[in-house]
mmCIF file of all heavy atoms in Angstrom:
data_model
loop_
_atom_site.group_PDB
_atom_site.id
_atom_site.type_symbol
_atom_site.label_atom_id
_atom_site.label_comp_id
_atom_site.label_asym_id
_atom_site.label_seq_id
_atom_site.Cartn_x
_atom_site.Cartn_y
_atom_site.Cartn_z
ATOM 1 N N MET A 22 45.837 3.663 62.137
ATOM 2 C CA MET A 22 46.796 4.668 61.682
ATOM 3 C C MET A 22 47.311 5.427 62.901
ATOM 4 O O MET A 22 46.527 5.851 63.756
ATOM 5 C CB MET A 22 46.151 5.648 60.693
ATOM 6 C CG MET A 22 47.125 6.660 60.132
ATOM 7 S SD MET A 22 46.465 7.597 58.724
ATOM 8 C CE MET A 22 45.442 8.798 59.572
ATOM 9 N N VAL A 23 48.626 5.596 62.957
ATOM 10 C CA VAL A 23 49.261 6.363 64.022
ATOM 11 C C VAL A 23 49.826 7.629 63.390
ATOM 12 O O VAL A 23 50.582 7.566 62.414
ATOM 13 C CB VAL A 23 50.392 5.565 64.712
ATOM 14 C CG1 VAL A 23 51.042 6.406 65.805
ATOM 15 C CG2 VAL A 23 49.869 4.260 65.283
ATOM 16 N N ALA A 24 49.441 8.785 63.925
ATOM 17 C CA ALA A 24 49.962 10.068 63.465
ATOM 18 C C ALA A 24 51.174 10.422 64.318
ATOM 19 O O ALA A 24 51.097 10.390 65.551
ATOM 20 C CB ALA A 24 48.890 11.145 63.567
ATOM 21 N N ILE A 25 52.289 10.731 63.644
ATOM 22 C CA ILE A 25 53.510 11.051 64.385
ATOM 23 C C ILE A 25 54.060 12.403 63.968
ATOM 24 O O ILE A 25 53.786 12.901 62.886
ATOM 25 C CB ILE A 25 54.598 9.962 64.218
ATOM 26 C CG1 ILE A 25 55.018 9.825 62.756
ATOM 27 C CG2 ILE A 25 54.127 8.636 64.781
ATOM 28 C CD1 ILE A 25 56.227 8.945 62.554
ATOM 29 N N GLU A 26 54.830 12.967 64.854
ATOM 30 C CA GLU A 26 55.562 14.207 64.614
ATOM 31 C C GLU A 26 56.860 14.107 65.415
ATOM 32 O O GLU A 26 57.083 13.131 66.119
ATOM 33 C CB GLU A 26 54.739 15.410 65.060
ATOM 34 C CG GLU A 26 54.417 15.372 66.555
ATOM 35 C CD GLU A 26 53.682 16.593 67.043
ATOM 36 O OE1 GLU A 26 53.870 17.669 66.460
ATOM 37 O OE2 GLU A 26 52.946 16.471 68.011
ATOM 38 N N SER A 30 55.977 12.505 72.539
ATOM 39 C CA SER A 30 54.636 11.958 72.750
ATOM 40 C C SER A 30 54.210 11.084 71.567
ATOM 41 O O SER A 30 53.489 10.104 71.745
ATOM 42 C CB SER A 30 53.623 13.084 72.967
ATOM 43 O OG SER A 30 53.528 13.910 71.819
ATOM 44 N N SER A 31 54.662 11.420 70.374
ATOM 45 C CA SER A 31 54.348 10.611 69.189
ATOM 46 C C SER A 31 55.033 9.254 69.255
ATOM 47 O O SER A 31 54.430 8.228 68.945
ATOM 48 C CB SER A 31 54.803 11.333 67.916
ATOM 49 O OG SER A 31 54.036 12.462 67.686
ATOM 50 N N ILE A 53 51.442 8.119 59.645
ATOM 51 C CA ILE A 53 51.382 9.370 58.890
ATOM 52 C C ILE A 53 52.119 10.483 59.614
ATOM 53 O O ILE A 53 52.090 10.559 60.847
ATOM 54 C CB ILE A 53 49.918 9.807 58.621
ATOM 55 C CG1 ILE A 53 49.872 11.039 57.719
ATOM 56 C CG2 ILE A 53 49.150 10.019 59.917
ATOM 57 C CD1 ILE A 53 48.493 11.420 57.227
ATOM 58 N N VAL A 55 52.601 14.818 58.880
ATOM 59 C CA VAL A 55 52.148 15.915 58.040
ATOM 60 C C VAL A 55 53.057 17.115 58.248
ATOM 61 O O VAL A 55 53.266 17.552 59.377
ATOM 62 C CB VAL A 55 50.680 16.292 58.356
ATOM 63 C CG1 VAL A 55 50.212 17.414 57.436
ATOM 64 C CG2 VAL A 55 49.764 15.078 58.236
ATOM 65 N N PRO A 57 53.497 20.876 58.128
ATOM 66 C CA PRO A 57 52.624 22.056 58.070
ATOM 67 C C PRO A 57 53.157 23.097 57.093
ATOM 68 O O PRO A 57 54.364 23.255 56.923
ATOM 69 C CB PRO A 57 52.649 22.585 59.505
ATOM 70 C CG PRO A 57 53.902 22.044 60.095
ATOM 71 C CD PRO A 57 54.202 20.755 59.385
ATOM 72 N N GLY A 113 50.319 20.039 54.623
ATOM 73 C CA GLY A 113 49.071 20.769 54.841
ATOM 74 C C GLY A 113 48.853 21.047 56.309
ATOM 75 O O GLY A 113 49.777 20.955 57.113
ATOM 76 N N GLU A 114 47.629 21.369 56.644
ATOM 77 C CA GLU A 114 47.250 21.606 58.043
ATOM 78 C C GLU A 114 47.141 20.233 58.702
ATOM 79 O O GLU A 114 46.238 19.460 58.363
ATOM 80 C CB GLU A 114 45.932 22.369 58.118
ATOM 81 C CG GLU A 114 45.441 22.646 59.520
ATOM 82 C CD GLU A 114 46.397 23.490 60.347
ATOM 83 O OE1 GLU A 114 46.993 24.440 59.802
ATOM 84 O OE2 GLU A 114 46.547 23.180 61.540
ATOM 85 N N PRO A 115 48.040 19.881 59.650
ATOM 86 C CA PRO A 115 48.079 18.515 60.179
ATOM 87 C C PRO A 115 46.748 17.961 60.651
ATOM 88 O O PRO A 115 46.372 16.851 60.277
ATOM 89 C CB PRO A 115 49.085 18.615 61.337
ATOM 90 C CG PRO A 115 50.005 19.706 60.898
ATOM 91 C CD PRO A 115 49.121 20.707 60.203
ATOM 92 N N LYS A 116 46.014 18.712 61.448
ATOM 93 C CA LYS A 116 44.767 18.181 62.003
ATOM 94 C C LYS A 116 43.766 17.839 60.909
ATOM 95 O O LYS A 116 43.081 16.820 60.985
ATOM 96 C CB LYS A 116 44.179 19.144 63.030
ATOM 97 C CG LYS A 116 43.865 20.523 62.505
ATOM 98 C CD LYS A 116 43.509 21.465 63.640
ATOM 99 C CE LYS A 116 43.246 22.866 63.126
ATOM 100 N NZ LYS A 116 43.039 23.791 64.237
ATOM 101 N N GLU A 117 43.681 18.668 59.885
ATOM 102 C CA GLU A 117 42.743 18.417 58.792
ATOM 103 C C GLU A 117 43.199 17.265 57.905
ATOM 104 O O GLU A 117 42.408 16.407 57.527
ATOM 105 C CB GLU A 117 42.548 19.693 57.965
ATOM 106 C CG GLU A 117 41.859 20.796 58.735
ATOM 107 C CD GLU A 117 41.863 22.138 58.011
ATOM 108 O OE1 GLU A 117 42.357 22.201 56.861
ATOM 109 O OE2 GLU A 117 41.370 23.106 58.599
ATOM 110 N N VAL A 118 44.483 17.254 57.579
ATOM 111 C CA VAL A 118 45.026 16.209 56.701
ATOM 112 C C VAL A 118 44.922 14.844 57.365
ATOM 113 O O VAL A 118 44.552 13.854 56.720
ATOM 114 C CB VAL A 118 46.481 16.527 56.299
ATOM 115 C CG1 VAL A 118 47.115 15.359 55.555
ATOM 116 C CG2 VAL A 118 46.544 17.792 55.454
ATOM 117 N N ILE A 119 45.207 14.764 58.644
ATOM 118 C CA ILE A 119 45.126 13.482 59.355
ATOM 119 C C ILE A 119 43.704 12.930 59.268
ATOM 120 O O ILE A 119 43.507 11.744 58.964
ATOM 121 C CB ILE A 119 45.580 13.643 60.822
ATOM 122 C CG1 ILE A 119 47.093 13.885 60.871
ATOM 123 C CG2 ILE A 119 45.205 12.404 61.651
ATOM 124 C CD1 ILE A 119 47.607 14.353 62.220
ATOM 125 N N CYS A 120 42.713 13.770 59.512
ATOM 126 C CA CYS A 120 41.315 13.312 59.433
ATOM 127 C C CYS A 120 40.941 12.902 58.014
ATOM 128 O O CYS A 120 40.253 11.890 57.819
ATOM 129 C CB CYS A 120 40.370 14.404 59.945
ATOM 130 S SG CYS A 120 40.462 14.667 61.730
ATOM 131 N N LEU A 131 42.298 5.687 64.894
ATOM 132 C CA LEU A 131 43.349 6.684 64.741
ATOM 133 C C LEU A 131 44.001 6.880 66.101
ATOM 134 O O LEU A 131 43.306 7.086 67.098
ATOM 135 C CB LEU A 131 42.757 8.005 64.236
ATOM 136 C CG LEU A 131 43.685 9.207 64.178
ATOM 137 C CD1 LEU A 131 44.883 8.954 63.269
ATOM 138 C CD2 LEU A 131 42.905 10.445 63.722
ATOM 139 N N ILE A 132 45.340 6.811 66.131
ATOM 140 C CA ILE A 132 46.074 6.959 67.389
ATOM 141 C C ILE A 132 46.993 8.167 67.294
ATOM 142 O O ILE A 132 47.723 8.320 66.314
ATOM 143 C CB ILE A 132 46.894 5.691 67.710
ATOM 144 C CG1 ILE A 132 45.960 4.491 67.821
ATOM 145 C CG2 ILE A 132 47.710 5.890 68.979
ATOM 146 C CD1 ILE A 132 46.676 3.165 68.001
ATOM 147 N N LEU A 133 46.939 9.005 68.331
ATOM 148 C CA LEU A 133 47.771 10.199 68.407
ATOM 149 C C LEU A 133 48.368 10.298 69.799
ATOM 150 O O LEU A 133 47.769 9.835 70.773
ATOM 151 C CB LEU A 133 46.939 11.466 68.177
ATOM 152 C CG LEU A 133 46.141 11.543 66.903
ATOM 153 C CD1 LEU A 133 44.719 11.935 67.192
ATOM 154 C CD2 LEU A 133 46.766 12.549 65.986
ATOM 155 N N GLY A 134 49.506 10.942 69.887
ATOM 156 C CA GLY A 134 50.086 11.241 71.195
ATOM 157 C C GLY A 134 49.555 12.558 71.708
ATOM 158 O O GLY A 134 49.099 13.402 70.943
ATOM 159 N N SER A 135 49.617 12.737 73.012
ATOM 160 C CA SER A 135 49.178 13.979 73.634
ATOM 161 C C SER A 135 50.398 14.751 74.122
ATOM 162 O O SER A 135 51.270 14.192 74.782
ATOM 163 C CB SER A 135 48.267 13.681 74.828
ATOM 164 O OG SER A 135 47.980 14.863 75.531
ATOM 165 N N HIS A 136 50.465 16.032 73.802
ATOM 166 C CA HIS A 136 51.562 16.883 74.259
ATOM 167 C C HIS A 136 51.454 17.198 75.741
ATOM 168 O O HIS A 136 52.420 17.608 76.353
ATOM 169 C CB HIS A 136 51.576 18.210 73.499
ATOM 170 C CG HIS A 136 52.183 18.124 72.154
ATOM 171 N ND1 HIS A 136 53.506 18.375 71.913
ATOM 172 C CD2 HIS A 136 51.659 17.801 70.948
ATOM 173 C CE1 HIS A 136 53.765 18.223 70.640
ATOM 174 N NE2 HIS A 136 52.656 17.876 70.023
ATOM 175 N N ARG A 138 49.556 19.649 76.914
ATOM 176 C CA ARG A 138 49.441 21.100 77.051
ATOM 177 C C ARG A 138 48.284 21.458 77.976
ATOM 178 O O ARG A 138 47.289 20.757 78.035
ATOM 179 C CB ARG A 138 49.168 21.738 75.686
ATOM 180 C CG ARG A 138 50.345 21.651 74.749
ATOM 181 C CD ARG A 138 50.047 22.442 73.487
ATOM 182 N NE ARG A 138 51.222 22.455 72.654
ATOM 183 C CZ ARG A 138 51.236 22.051 71.393
ATOM 184 N NH1 ARG A 138 50.138 21.612 70.823
ATOM 185 N NH2 ARG A 138 52.343 22.103 70.704
ATOM 186 N N GLU A 142 47.621 26.967 76.591
ATOM 187 C CA GLU A 142 48.420 26.596 75.412
ATOM 188 C C GLU A 142 47.536 26.010 74.318
ATOM 189 O O GLU A 142 47.733 26.312 73.138
ATOM 190 C CB GLU A 142 49.495 25.560 75.791
ATOM 191 C CG GLU A 142 50.684 26.136 76.499
ATOM 192 C CD GLU A 142 51.706 25.064 76.792
ATOM 193 O OE1 GLU A 142 51.399 24.173 77.604
ATOM 194 O OE2 GLU A 142 52.785 25.113 76.195
ATOM 195 N N ARG A 143 46.582 25.159 74.690
ATOM 196 C CA ARG A 143 45.676 24.585 73.692
ATOM 197 C C ARG A 143 44.873 25.688 72.998
ATOM 198 O O ARG A 143 44.633 25.633 71.799
ATOM 199 C CB ARG A 143 44.731 23.569 74.328
ATOM 200 C CG ARG A 143 45.350 22.218 74.530
ATOM 201 C CD ARG A 143 44.305 21.156 74.826
ATOM 202 N NE ARG A 143 43.333 21.525 75.830
ATOM 203 C CZ ARG A 143 43.482 21.346 77.134
ATOM 204 N NH1 ARG A 143 44.580 20.783 77.603
ATOM 205 N NH2 ARG A 143 42.534 21.701 77.979
ATOM 206 N N PHE A 144 44.465 26.699 73.768
ATOM 207 C CA PHE A 144 43.682 27.785 73.194
ATOM 208 C C PHE A 144 44.486 28.536 72.134
ATOM 209 O O PHE A 144 43.999 28.817 71.045
ATOM 210 C CB PHE A 144 43.225 28.756 74.290
ATOM 211 C CG PHE A 144 42.469 29.931 73.751
ATOM 212 C CD1 PHE A 144 41.145 29.797 73.361
ATOM 213 C CD2 PHE A 144 43.067 31.165 73.614
ATOM 214 C CE1 PHE A 144 40.432 30.871 72.850
ATOM 215 C CE2 PHE A 144 42.374 32.248 73.112
ATOM 216 C CZ PHE A 144 41.047 32.103 72.729
ATOM 217 N N LEU A 146 47.623 27.607 70.749
ATOM 218 C CA LEU A 146 48.326 26.766 69.781
ATOM 219 C C LEU A 146 47.415 25.781 69.063
ATOM 220 O O LEU A 146 47.784 25.220 68.044
ATOM 221 C CB LEU A 146 49.458 25.992 70.468
ATOM 222 C CG LEU A 146 50.534 26.852 71.133
ATOM 223 C CD1 LEU A 146 51.504 25.960 71.896
ATOM 224 C CD2 LEU A 146 51.263 27.690 70.102
ATOM 225 N N GLY A 147 46.249 25.550 69.621
ATOM 226 C CA GLY A 147 45.359 24.553 69.052
ATOM 227 C C GLY A 147 45.795 23.171 69.495
ATOM 228 O O GLY A 147 46.852 22.983 70.082
ATOM 229 N N SER A 148 44.989 22.202 69.204
ATOM 230 C CA SER A 148 45.297 20.840 69.582
ATOM 231 C C SER A 148 44.886 19.913 68.442
ATOM 232 O O SER A 148 43.707 19.823 68.099
ATOM 233 C CB SER A 148 44.549 20.460 70.868
ATOM 234 O OG SER A 148 44.647 19.069 71.104
ATOM 235 N N VAL A 149 45.874 19.263 67.855
ATOM 236 C CA VAL A 149 45.598 18.323 66.778
ATOM 237 C C VAL A 149 44.734 17.186 67.308
ATOM 238 O O VAL A 149 43.749 16.796 66.683
ATOM 239 C CB VAL A 149 46.910 17.795 66.160
ATOM 240 C CG1 VAL A 149 46.628 16.675 65.170
ATOM 241 C CG2 VAL A 149 47.680 18.915 65.491
ATOM 242 N N SER A 150 45.090 16.672 68.477
ATOM 243 C CA SER A 150 44.330 15.548 69.014
ATOM 244 C C SER A 150 42.879 15.950 69.311
ATOM 245 O O SER A 150 41.951 15.189 69.018
ATOM 246 C CB SER A 150 44.997 14.965 70.263
ATOM 247 O OG SER A 150 45.157 15.947 71.253
ATOM 248 N N ASN A 151 42.674 17.129 69.861
ATOM 249 C CA ASN A 151 41.314 17.589 70.151
ATOM 250 C C ASN A 151 40.506 17.729 68.863
ATOM 251 O O ASN A 151 39.347 17.313 68.793
ATOM 252 C CB ASN A 151 41.352 18.922 70.904
ATOM 253 C CG ASN A 151 39.988 19.353 71.375
ATOM 254 O OD1 ASN A 151 39.248 18.576 71.979
ATOM 255 N ND2 ASN A 151 39.640 20.595 71.071
ATOM 256 N N TYR A 152 41.108 18.289 67.846
ATOM 257 C CA TYR A 152 40.428 18.430 66.562
ATOM 258 C C TYR A 152 40.047 17.062 66.002
ATOM 259 O O TYR A 152 38.926 16.845 65.551
ATOM 260 C CB TYR A 152 41.324 19.180 65.561
ATOM 261 C CG TYR A 152 40.666 19.370 64.213
ATOM 262 C CD1 TYR A 152 39.917 20.514 63.949
ATOM 263 C CD2 TYR A 152 40.785 18.408 63.209
ATOM 264 C CE1 TYR A 152 39.306 20.698 62.713
ATOM 265 C CE2 TYR A 152 40.178 18.585 61.976
ATOM 266 C CZ TYR A 152 39.447 19.727 61.728
ATOM 267 O OH TYR A 152 38.828 19.898 60.510
ATOM 268 N N CYS A 153 40.992 16.129 66.036
ATOM 269 C CA CYS A 153 40.745 14.791 65.490
ATOM 270 C C CYS A 153 39.661 14.056 66.277
ATOM 271 O O CYS A 153 38.816 13.379 65.686
ATOM 272 C CB CYS A 153 42.036 13.974 65.447
ATOM 273 S SG CYS A 153 43.228 14.582 64.238
ATOM 274 N N VAL A 154 39.663 14.205 67.591
ATOM 275 C CA VAL A 154 38.628 13.562 68.407
ATOM 276 C C VAL A 154 37.243 14.035 67.972
ATOM 277 O O VAL A 154 36.306 13.243 67.911
ATOM 278 C CB VAL A 154 38.859 13.855 69.911
ATOM 279 C CG1 VAL A 154 37.622 13.567 70.748
ATOM 280 C CG2 VAL A 154 40.048 13.062 70.431
ATOM 281 N N HIS A 155 37.134 15.305 67.654
ATOM 282 C CA HIS A 155 35.822 15.870 67.310
ATOM 283 C C HIS A 155 35.470 15.802 65.822
ATOM 284 O O HIS A 155 34.307 15.977 65.466
ATOM 285 C CB HIS A 155 35.738 17.315 67.794
ATOM 286 C CG HIS A 155 35.669 17.407 69.278
ATOM 287 N ND1 HIS A 155 36.781 17.590 70.071
ATOM 288 C CD2 HIS A 155 34.622 17.285 70.125
ATOM 289 C CE1 HIS A 155 36.417 17.599 71.334
ATOM 290 N NE2 HIS A 155 35.113 17.417 71.402
ATOM 291 N N ASN A 156 36.452 15.544 64.947
ATOM 292 C CA ASN A 156 36.177 15.612 63.522
ATOM 293 C C ASN A 156 36.474 14.350 62.727
ATOM 294 O O ASN A 156 35.978 14.223 61.602
ATOM 295 C CB ASN A 156 36.945 16.782 62.896
ATOM 296 C CG ASN A 156 36.424 18.110 63.392
ATOM 297 O OD1 ASN A 156 35.404 18.582 62.949
ATOM 298 N ND2 ASN A 156 37.128 18.692 64.351
ATOM 299 N N ALA A 157 37.254 13.435 63.264
ATOM 300 C CA ALA A 157 37.544 12.203 62.532
ATOM 301 C C ALA A 157 36.280 11.349 62.465
ATOM 302 O O ALA A 157 35.448 11.371 63.372
ATOM 303 C CB ALA A 157 38.670 11.425 63.209
ATOM 304 N N VAL A 161 39.074 7.666 67.864
ATOM 305 C CA VAL A 161 40.396 8.259 68.047
ATOM 306 C C VAL A 161 40.883 7.922 69.451
ATOM 307 O O VAL A 161 40.155 8.120 70.424
ATOM 308 C CB VAL A 161 40.353 9.793 67.860
ATOM 309 C CG1 VAL A 161 41.730 10.405 68.108
ATOM 310 C CG2 VAL A 161 39.839 10.150 66.467
ATOM 311 N N LEU A 162 42.099 7.429 69.523
ATOM 312 C CA LEU A 162 42.733 7.135 70.807
ATOM 313 C C LEU A 162 43.874 8.113 71.012
ATOM 314 O O LEU A 162 44.791 8.182 70.198
ATOM 315 C CB LEU A 162 43.266 5.699 70.827
ATOM 316 C CG LEU A 162 44.092 5.288 72.044
ATOM 317 C CD1 LEU A 162 43.242 5.322 73.308
ATOM 318 C CD2 LEU A 162 44.695 3.913 71.836
ATOM 319 N N VAL A 163 43.785 8.904 72.077
ATOM 320 C CA VAL A 163 44.850 9.841 72.425
ATOM 321 C C VAL A 163 45.635 9.222 73.566
ATOM 322 O O VAL A 163 45.094 8.994 74.651
ATOM 323 C CB VAL A 163 44.282 11.222 72.831
ATOM 324 C CG1 VAL A 163 45.416 12.181 73.180
ATOM 325 C CG2 VAL A 163 43.415 11.797 71.708
#
Side-chain angles (χ1 to χ4, degrees):
M22 183 168 79
V23 179
I25 62 171
E26 61 176 331
S30 63
S31 292
I53 185 171
V55 181
E114 179 61 40
K116 59 189 178 186
E117 294 171 3
V118 172
I119 290 167
C120 289
L131 173 60
I132 301 174
L133 305 130
S135 172
H136 280 268
R138 291 186 175 125
E142 283 182 294
R143 279 194 313 272
F144 177 77
L146 300 174
S148 169
V149 172
S150 58
N151 187 49
Y152 181 91
C153 291
V154 163
H155 290 94
N156 293 282
V161 178
L162 173 64
V163 180

